[in-house]
Amino acid sequence: TRVYAPVRTVALYGYLQAQGDPPLPQLRARAECWAWGVPLPTGLYNALIFADPGTIKAQDGQSLEQRFQAMLAACGMSDAGALGGLAGPVRALDATPFLDEAPIDGHMVRLGDAAMALDPVSSSGVQKSIQSALAAAICVNTELSRQDQSAAARAFYRDTLRRTSRRHAAWTGAHYARAMSRYGTGFWAARAGPQETPAAAP
């Protein structure tokens, strides 16, 4: 059973032709969204926009591709230069953080994004997927070799994911709160948590 964050986020992404030397990786924000882009070895440039579902919807008769390019331009993504037209269709997918409350039982274990999705602003999904695989390997080994400890192993895996999800929700909420203090819009406010106070150095 997946438990999603209370506010849904949609990722809109596409691949752009790079003209000459493509722009370096970029991270941009605006009042209604944030955007990320990275050059690929193929000569294409992968760009993503994260926003509320209502903001992503095409407006005034725009196609999804036109909406995507307009939002990239509004973020200043194309200001870095050397970006041409789209190299394929623009796609949208759900980027809402979630936690699976039953990621393991006696017959299966869910790893990575099948078990938990972090807010994309954390930029640590791959790292956490690898860590979940390492933790799951311990649990599977326990299930196979020490069945008397299987319940403890499953609890360990569930608790590991739960703690990670909560910790990242707090971190990303603080990031959104800092951005909300600058932009003051509903997109940032809906995702904002209390700003973190840095811990004193030991």
Side-chain angles (χ1 to χ4, degrees):
T1 303
R2 290 182 174 183
V3 177
Y4 285 86
V7 181
R8 302 303 284 232
T9 301
V10 171
L12 194 64
Y13 72 96
Y15 297 90
L16 300 153
Q17 297 284 357
Q19 300 173 337
D21 292 330
L24 295 173
Q26 302 177 69
L27 182 63
R28 303 291 181 108
R30 63 176 293 199
E32 298 176 343
C33 64
W34 66 274
W36 174 85
V38 63
L40 302 176
T42 60
L44 298 178
Y45 196 83
N46 183 206
L48 298 94
I49 296 171
F50 301 92
D52 287 319
T55 302
I56 291 291
K57 289 181 180 177
Q59 298 176 2
D60 301 323
Q62 289 180 322
S63 67
L64 194 60
E65 285 74 15
Q66 290 170 326
R67 183 72 178 139
F68 176 69
Q69 290 185 308
M71 292 179 77
L72 283 181
C75 283
M77 186 75 78
S78 56
D79 292 348
L83 286 181
L86 286 163
V90 172
R91 293 185 170 90
L93 55 85
D94 190 356
T96 307
F98 72 83
L99 175 67
D100 191 306
E101 291 190 317
I104 187 170
D105 61 28
H107 305 285
M108 69 86 198
V109 58
R110 293 187 176 93
L111 309 175
D113 284 349
M116 174 184 63
L118 303 176
D119 192 298
V121 82
S122 74
S123 191
S124 53
V126 172
Q127 175 192 0
K128 291 305 170 188
S129 291
I130 293 170
Q131 289 176 347
S132 75
L134 293 172
I138 295 170
C139 298
V140 170
N141 181 66
T142 303
E143 289 275 359
L144 296 174
S145 63
R146 299 186 60 186
Q147 293 184 354
D148 60 313
Q149 297 295 318
S150 61
R154 294 175 203 173
F156 160 76
Y157 190 66
R158 287 191 298 268
D159 291 345
T160 297
L161 294 178
R162 191 176 296 118
R163 283 194 305 271
T164 298
S165 179
R166 288 177 181 165
R167 186 167 58 246
H168 276 265
W171 289 342
T172 57
H175 288 313
Y176 282 113
R178 284 193 291 276
M180 193 267 293
S181 66
R182 175 177 179 178
Y183 294 105
T185 58
F187 171 77
W188 300 99
R191 294 161 177 80
Q195 293 201 37
E196 294 179 315
T197 303

